[in-house]
Amino acid sequence: TMLSRCQRFEFRRIPTERIVEVLKEICKKEKIKAEDDALVVIAKAADGSLRDSQTILDQIASSAENKIARADVIRSLGELEEERLVALVDALGRKDAKAALMMLDGILADGKEPALFVEKMIEHVRNLLFVQVSPELLSLVDATETYKKALLAQKDVFGREELFYVFGAMMHALQTLKRHDLKRVPREVALVKIAARAPMQDLSEILERLDREEKKSELKSPQRADALIHPEQAAKRRAEWWRRPEFHR
């Protein structure tokens, strides 16, 4: 009865594109100069909340000198630069563990949150999977136009099975970070593991190859070949073999 007397409100996340539009209107009215990419970063950080985006914009505008730049927003929010993430993934695609570890060291030296890098890597893998499925799914990626272009350029660096492997490795690193006090080691081990990955093939391709090899081996065996070509004759031979005296003593 209490539920029947209550009023229910369904709150939904506001799309990032809509938040960016509102922020542009506010900047125009308040005569605030801001880069479009900077507003996208603010809108994404607000996570669907228009009020939070306005609060972030107000805080950054009060400290900005002339124009709100994307770098100012990233520094204020402690976000990870997209170009650094793309460069690190490129190094992993080349299986260059040394370059990837050096880039990670630079990210950690800047004092980023322990789980931030792993979460951004997982999100980046999701975005790469989307553009591999179809470039039209790029509309589902909340990011700057510069990052979207980088995604399209990077979509063939990893195969789909490799992306599943990278996703699993980073999810394991994230779970380890939550369970233990080790903050640096899980991320470093995950990068080395990804860089040292073996070539991967689709499971269906492996099964097809095994099926072909099995058929070849059957044809090479005289008994198996005879059974495949003359099944009645093979059955007769098996019956004669079982009638041998040594089996009826």
Side-chain angles (χ1 to χ4, degrees):
T1 57
M2 291 197 59
L3 287 176
S4 64
R5 297 171 184 272
C6 294
Q7 225 175 357
R8 181 167 179 165
F9 297 92
E10 296 287 349
F11 293 98
R12 299 178 181 178
R13 294 175 68 254
I14 302 174
T16 302
E17 295 81 3
R18 178 58 185 152
I19 294 178
V20 172
E21 292 175 3
V22 174
L23 293 180
K24 285 182 179 180
E25 293 175 3
I26 294 174
C27 290
K28 186 177 180 180
K29 291 179 180 178
E30 299 296 331
K31 296 181 180 181
I32 300 172
K33 295 180 180 180
E35 296 178 357
D36 289 346
D37 285 354
L39 297 181
V40 172
V41 176
I42 292 173
K44 188 176 179 182
D47 195 26
S49 172
L50 183 59
R51 180 178 293 179
D52 288 350
S53 69
Q54 293 173 341
T55 301
I56 296 171
L57 177 63
D58 182 60
Q59 291 174 346
I60 296 176
S62 63
S63 59
E65 296 181 358
N66 299 316
K67 185 177 182 180
I68 300 176
R70 174 174 165 271
D72 297 329
V73 178
I74 289 175
R75 184 172 56 254
S76 299
L77 298 177
E79 292 287 338
L80 177 62
E81 298 88 340
E82 294 165 347
E83 56 270 17
R84 297 174 79 176
L85 181 63
V86 172
L88 192 148
V89 172
D90 276 332
L92 293 176
R94 301 190 306 268
K95 299 185 177 181
D96 189 348
K98 178 182 176 182
L101 289 173
M102 292 300 294
M103 292 179 196
L104 176 61
D105 182 71
I107 292 171
L108 299 180
D110 289 343
K112 305 295 183 183
E113 288 293 325
L116 176 65
F117 166 73
V118 181
E119 291 171 354
K120 289 296 183 182
M121 275 288 294
I122 292 172
E123 183 182 6
H124 188 69
V125 171
R126 172 258 193 189
N127 296 338
L128 286 174
L129 282 170
F130 273 27
V131 296
Q132 278 192 5
V133 171
S134 173
E136 295 178 2
L137 292 177
L138 203 60
S139 60
L140 300 180
V141 177
D142 291 335
T144 62
E145 291 300 321
T146 303
Y147 175 71
K148 290 181 179 180
K149 291 178 181 178
L151 271 180
L152 290 173
Q154 198 179 58
K155 71 182 182 68
D156 295 324
V157 172
F158 290 93
R160 191 169 298 182
E161 294 298 324
E162 288 181 314
L163 286 176
F164 292 147
Y165 181 80
V166 176
F167 180 83
M170 299 313 298
M171 283 297 296
H172 179 72
L174 183 61
Q175 292 169 2
T176 304
L177 284 172
K178 292 179 178 179
R179 290 197 306 265
H180 304 285
D181 292 333
L182 297 171
K183 301 303 180 185
R184 187 185 186 104
V185 176
R187 289 174 286 187
E188 292 172 334
V189 172
L191 293 186
V192 175
K193 181 179 180 180
I194 294 168
R197 68 193 181 281
M200 296 183 185
Q201 289 181 311
D202 188 78
L203 181 59
S204 60
E205 295 178 2
I206 297 173
L207 292 175
E208 287 178 6
R209 190 177 75 249
L210 291 174
D211 187 52
R212 289 195 300 268
E213 293 294 332
E214 183 178 359
K215 288 180 179 179
K216 288 180 181 179
S217 63
E218 287 176 348
L219 291 174
K220 288 179 182 179
S221 172
Q223 294 82 4
R224 295 294 295 168
D226 184 66
L228 290 171
I229 299 170
H230 308 288
E232 293 181 0
Q233 185 178 358
K236 183 179 179 180
R237 288 183 180 181
R238 286 196 299 270
E240 292 175 353
W241 187 73
W242 279 106
R243 285 197 295 268
R244 292 169 61 180
E246 56 265 31
F247 291 102
H248 303 281
R249 292 177 181 176

